[in-house]
Amino acid sequence: MTTPVDDVILPPDADPRLGPVLSGLTACLCATLAAGGRPACACCLAWGSQPPAQDFCSCDCDGGHGQAWVRVVRQDPVVTNQRRRRCQTWRMQTVIEVGVARCVAVTAPDGQSAPTCEQRETDAWGLVLDTRLLREAVACCDALTDVQVWPGPVTPMGPQGGCAGVTVQITVEV
């Protein structure tokens, strides 16, 4: 089932606190990758218990390739001693992941020719740059200005199926 175009939900309508953080962080990620010379063909908010499928890994577009995403990893309630008023409001700590996946060199179709050290190093340095850009996207994002943010792990992904990437997690309180 697909969502009808007329039923587009705006971020503040979905969640007045978390929605603007997620949409703003997505915009920061996409802009930072592009400004850093590493644009992605797909750069969007994604949902799921794992990073999105690497559907765009082999995609080339306007000088870029691969895909980037922002996703909610989990939400944990913040326990407070505040007395309940009319409606229960919960403050939440939300773990958010920003990530990017790119094409990497693989064994040739003949099954014999492995990637050269030069190809592997080129891929590795590109992903080191992506890691820096992901951290910069978080550190410089105006959508996080009034939000408490804690850095989390930076985790390499792959290589698998010709794709490799990196994720950065942060925790925000909203």
Side-chain angles (χ1 to χ4, degrees):
M1 181 174 167
T2 59
T3 303
V5 176
D6 294 342
D7 293 343
V8 173
I9 299 171
L10 298 176
D13 294 335
D15 186 315
R17 292 182 179 160
L18 184 59
V21 168
L22 293 172
S23 64
L25 186 54
T26 303
C28 290
L29 172 62
C30 303
T32 302
L33 289 172
R38 303 273 295 167
C41 296
C43 185
C44 55
L45 179 65
W47 190 262
S49 60
Q50 298 293 322
Q54 306 309 298
D55 298 327
F56 295 91
C57 192
S58 63
C59 169
D60 288 321
C61 62
D62 297 331
H65 71 282
Q67 67 183 18
W69 65 89
V70 172
R71 76 176 181 95
V72 172
V73 174
R74 76 171 184 277
Q75 290 188 301
D76 300 310
V78 175
V79 179
T80 65
N81 292 328
Q82 291 181 341
R83 294 180 58 121
R84 181 178 169 167
R85 295 197 178 129
R86 293 178 58 202
C87 291
Q88 182 70 42
T89 58
W90 294 329
R91 288 190 3 237
M92 301 297 285
Q93 285 186 338
T94 303
V95 178
I96 299 171
E97 174 184 274
V98 295
V100 65
R102 309 282 187 177
C103 297
V104 293
V106 296
T107 302
D110 65 11
Q112 303 295 317
S113 306
T116 66
C117 282
E118 183 178 84
Q119 289 172 311
R120 290 178 187 198
E121 286 180 4
T122 297
D123 292 338
W125 288 121
L127 290 164
V128 168
L129 174 55
D130 283 338
T131 303
R132 179 178 63 83
L133 294 172
L134 293 180
R135 289 192 323 258
E136 184 180 312
V138 171
C140 300
C141 188
D142 288 341
L144 300 176
T145 300
D146 296 327
V147 177
Q148 185 75 339
V149 179
W150 295 274
V154 175
T155 308
M157 294 174 32
Q160 183 175 7
C163 279
V166 62
T167 62
V168 173
Q169 291 186 357
I170 61 171
T171 301
V172 299
E173 186 174 318
V174 293

